Coordinates of all heavy atoms in Angstrom, one line a residue:
G284 N -279.5 -55.9 -68.7 CA -280.5 -56.6 -69.5 C -281.2 -55.6 -70.4 O -281.5 -56.0 -71.6
T285 N -281.5 -54.4 -70.0 CA -282.3 -53.4 -70.8 C -281.5 -52.9 -72.0 O -282.0 -53.1 -73.1 CB -282.7 -52.2 -69.9 OG1 -283.8 -52.6 -69.1 CG2 -283.1 -51.0 -70.8
P286 N -280.2 -52.6 -71.9 CA -279.5 -52.1 -73.1 C -279.3 -53.3 -74.1 O -279.4 -53.3 -75.2 CB -278.2 -51.6 -72.6 CG -278.0 -52.1 -71.2 CD -279.3 -52.3 -70.7
Q287 N -279.1 -54.6 -73.5 CA -278.9 -55.7 -74.3 C -280.2 -55.9 -75.2 O -280.2 -56.2 -76.4 CB -278.6 -57.0 -73.5 CG -278.4 -58.3 -74.4 CD -278.2 -59.5 -73.6 OE1 -278.8 -59.6 -72.5 NE2 -277.7 -60.5 -74.2
L288 N -281.4 -55.8 -74.6 CA -282.6 -56.0 -75.3 C -282.8 -54.9 -76.4 O -283.2 -55.2 -77.6 CB -283.8 -56.1 -74.3 CG -284.1 -57.5 -73.7 CD1 -285.0 -57.4 -72.7 CD2 -284.4 -58.4 -74.8
L289 N -282.4 -53.7 -76.0 CA -282.7 -52.6 -76.9 C -281.7 -52.8 -78.2 O -282.1 -52.8 -79.3 CB -282.2 -51.2 -76.4 CG -283.3 -50.7 -75.3 CD1 -282.7 -49.5 -74.6 CD2 -284.6 -50.3 -76.0
L290 N -280.5 -53.3 -78.0 CA -279.6 -53.5 -79.0 C -280.1 -54.6 -79.9 O -280.1 -54.7 -81.1 CB -278.2 -53.8 -78.5 CG -277.5 -52.7 -77.7 CD1 -276.3 -53.1 -76.9 CD2 -277.0 -51.6 -78.7
L291 N -280.4 -55.7 -79.2 CA -280.9 -56.9 -80.0 C -282.2 -56.6 -80.9 O -282.4 -57.2 -82.0 CB -281.4 -58.0 -79.0 CG -280.2 -58.8 -78.3 CD1 -280.8 -59.7 -77.1 CD2 -279.4 -59.7 -79.3
S292 N -282.9 -55.5 -80.5 CA -284.1 -55.2 -81.2 C -283.8 -54.0 -82.2 O -284.7 -53.5 -82.7 CB -285.1 -54.6 -80.2 OG -285.2 -55.6 -79.1
G293 N -282.6 -53.7 -82.5 CA -282.2 -52.7 -83.5 C -282.3 -51.3 -83.1 O -282.4 -50.4 -83.8
I294 N -282.1 -51.1 -81.7 CA -282.1 -49.7 -81.2 C -280.8 -49.5 -80.5 O -280.5 -50.1 -79.5 CB -283.3 -49.6 -80.2 CG1 -284.6 -49.9 -80.7 CG2 -283.3 -48.2 -79.6 CD1 -285.7 -50.1 -79.6
G295 N -279.9 -48.8 -81.2 CA -278.5 -48.6 -80.7 C -277.6 -48.1 -81.7 O -278.1 -47.6 -82.8
P296 N -276.3 -48.1 -81.4 CA -275.3 -47.5 -82.3 C -275.4 -48.3 -83.7 O -275.1 -49.6 -83.6 CB -274.0 -47.7 -81.6 CG -274.3 -47.9 -80.2 CD -275.6 -48.7 -80.2
K297 N -275.6 -47.7 -84.7 CA -275.8 -48.4 -86.0 C -274.5 -49.3 -86.4 O -274.7 -50.4 -86.8 CB -276.0 -47.3 -87.2 CG -276.4 -48.0 -88.5 CD -276.9 -46.8 -89.3 CE -277.5 -47.4 -90.5 NZ -277.2 -47.1 -91.8
E298 N -273.3 -48.7 -86.1 CA -272.2 -49.5 -86.6 C -272.1 -50.8 -85.8 O -271.8 -51.9 -86.4 CB -271.0 -48.7 -86.2 CG -270.1 -48.3 -87.4 CD -269.0 -47.3 -87.1 OE1 -268.1 -47.8 -86.3 OE2 -269.0 -46.2 -87.6
D299 N -272.3 -50.7 -84.5 CA -272.3 -51.9 -83.6 C -273.3 -52.9 -84.1 O -273.1 -54.1 -84.2 CB -272.5 -51.6 -82.2 CG -271.4 -50.9 -81.6 OD1 -270.2 -50.6 -82.3 OD2 -271.4 -50.4 -80.4
L300 N -274.6 -52.4 -84.4 CA -275.6 -53.3 -84.7 C -275.3 -54.0 -86.1 O -275.5 -55.2 -86.1 CB -276.9 -52.6 -84.8 CG -277.5 -51.8 -83.6 CD1 -278.7 -51.2 -83.7 CD2 -277.5 -52.8 -82.5

Side-chain angles (χ1 to χ4, degrees):
T285 285
Q287 185 187 17
L288 278 171
L289 290 171
L290 296 168
L291 288 166
S292 314
I294 305 166
K297 190 165 191 237
E298 246 174 61
D299 288 356
L300 298 183

